Amino acid sequence: MKCSMGGRKSNHVRQMLRRFGAVQNWQLVLIIIPLLFVIATLLRLDHLQMAELRANVIAADELGDDAALQDSLEKLRDFTFTHIVVNVIERNGVQNITFGTGPFYLEGQYLRAANAAIAEAESQLADDSNPNGNIYAAVSAICRPQAIANGWAWNSPGYLNCWTSELAKYPAADELNSQLTASIPSTELFRYNYASPIWAPSWAGWAILVCVILFAIVIVRLVIWLVLQIFLLFLKK
C-alpha cells in the first residue's frame, strides 16, 4: 500500500517536471545572449548622444552665446536624467565607471564673469563718489613728479617706496582689493556633473528589464528543478 502511494506521488512529480520542462532553459538563454548585445548597443548610442549634447554645451560656451548655452545645458540635463548614461572617467590616473556626464567646466562663462567683476572693480576705483577719489590717480600725481625730479624708473626703490607710503594713507585701497577678490566668482559655480539614473524607461532600460526577467526565470527554474530532483531521490528511498 505504501509502495503504491509512493509510486503515485513519484509519477505526479515526474508529470510536473515534464510540464515544467516544456520550455527549455537553453531556449531562454538563446534569447538572452542576443538581447545582451542589443542592450550594449543601446547603451552605446545613449552615451554617444550624451557626448554630442555635452560638446554642444562646450561649443556654445566658447562662442559666448548665453542663450544657446542655457538651451544646450537644459537639453543635456533632460537627456541625462531620462536615460541610462554609462560613462568612464579618469580620476588620479584610475578609470572609473559612473552614470552620467562626468564633470565638465564652462571656462568661457567663468572668464566672462571674472572679467566683468574686474571691470566693475576698476570702474569703482575711477568713481569720483569714492570718499578718497581715484586713489591710484592721486598717488600717481604725487609720485610721478618726484620720479621725474630724481630720475627714478618705474621699478626703482625710491618710486616703489613712494607708492607704498602714499597708498598706506588710503585705507579704502585694502577694501577695494578685498571687494575685487570677493566679486570674482568661484570656479565651482561653473562646474557641472549631471548624474543619470541606474534605470530609466528608455529603450535601453526596457531591454535591460526584459533581460533581467528572463535571467530570473532561468535561475528560478533551475532552483525548482533541483528541489524536485532532491524530492524524487527521497521518494525512491
Side-chain angles (χ1 to χ4, degrees):
M1 184 71 177
K2 289 182 179 180
C3 293
S4 176
M5 291 179 62
R8 285 198 296 270
K9 289 181 179 179
S10 178
N11 291 332
H12 181 67
V13 171
R14 288 193 179 91
Q15 291 175 2
M16 290 178 60
L17 283 172
R18 283 194 294 270
R19 288 196 298 268
F20 187 72
V23 178
Q24 300 296 321
N25 277 349
W26 64 267
Q27 294 174 317
L28 295 177
V29 171
L30 287 180
I31 298 174
I32 291 174
I33 292 175
L35 187 57
L36 290 175
F37 286 98
V38 172
I39 291 171
T41 302
L42 292 174
L43 290 176
R44 177 63 177 168
L45 291 175
D46 284 347
H47 173 81
L48 292 176
Q49 180 65 21
M50 179 278 297
E52 181 180 352
L53 292 173
R54 187 177 58 188
N56 293 339
V57 171
I58 302 302
D61 178 53
E62 292 175 350
L63 290 174
D65 189 339
D66 290 335
L69 176 59
Q70 185 62 33
D71 181 64
S72 59
L73 274 173
E74 291 178 357
K75 289 180 179 178
L76 175 61
R77 180 198 62 197
D78 294 343
F79 180 85
T80 306
F81 287 173
T82 57
H83 292 76
I84 305 173
V85 180
V86 181
N87 200 1
V88 178
I89 61 174
E90 185 174 335
R91 293 176 181 172
N92 300 322
V94 179
Q95 291 187 336
N96 300 285
I97 297 177
T98 185
F99 288 86
T101 62
F104 62 95
Y105 299 87
L106 300 182
E107 183 179 359
Q109 191 179 54
Y110 168 74
L111 292 176
R112 290 190 293 273
N115 289 331
I118 293 173
E120 176 65 21
E122 290 177 345
S123 68
Q124 292 180 11
L125 286 175
D127 189 356
D128 292 335
S129 64
N130 187 294
N132 294 309
N134 190 330
I135 297 173
Y136 293 110
V139 172
S140 179
I142 296 173
C143 295
R144 184 175 177 79
Q146 296 183 29
I148 295 174
N150 295 286
W152 293 338
W154 66 270
N155 59 348
S156 64
Y159 191 54
L160 294 176
N161 289 336
C162 178
W163 267 87
T164 303
S165 60
E166 290 299 324
L167 281 175
K169 299 176 181 178
Y170 299 95
D174 293 334
E175 296 177 5
L176 288 170
N177 288 333
S178 299
Q179 182 179 357
L180 176 60
T181 302
S183 298
I184 296 178
S186 170
T187 55
E188 287 301 313
L189 297 176
F190 303 89
R191 178 181 181 274
Y192 292 83
N193 186 5
Y194 296 132
S196 76
I198 298 178
W199 185 86
S202 60
W203 286 108
W206 291 120
I208 291 173
L209 184 61
V210 170
C211 187
V212 170
I213 292 174
L214 291 177
F215 187 76
I217 291 174
V218 171
I219 297 299
V220 170
R221 285 167 57 90
L222 287 174
V223 172
I224 294 175
W225 183 82
L226 288 174
V227 170
L228 291 175
Q229 290 295 332
I230 293 172
F231 186 63
L232 275 177
L233 290 176
F234 281 103
L235 287 178
K236 288 179 180 179
K237 294 180 180 180

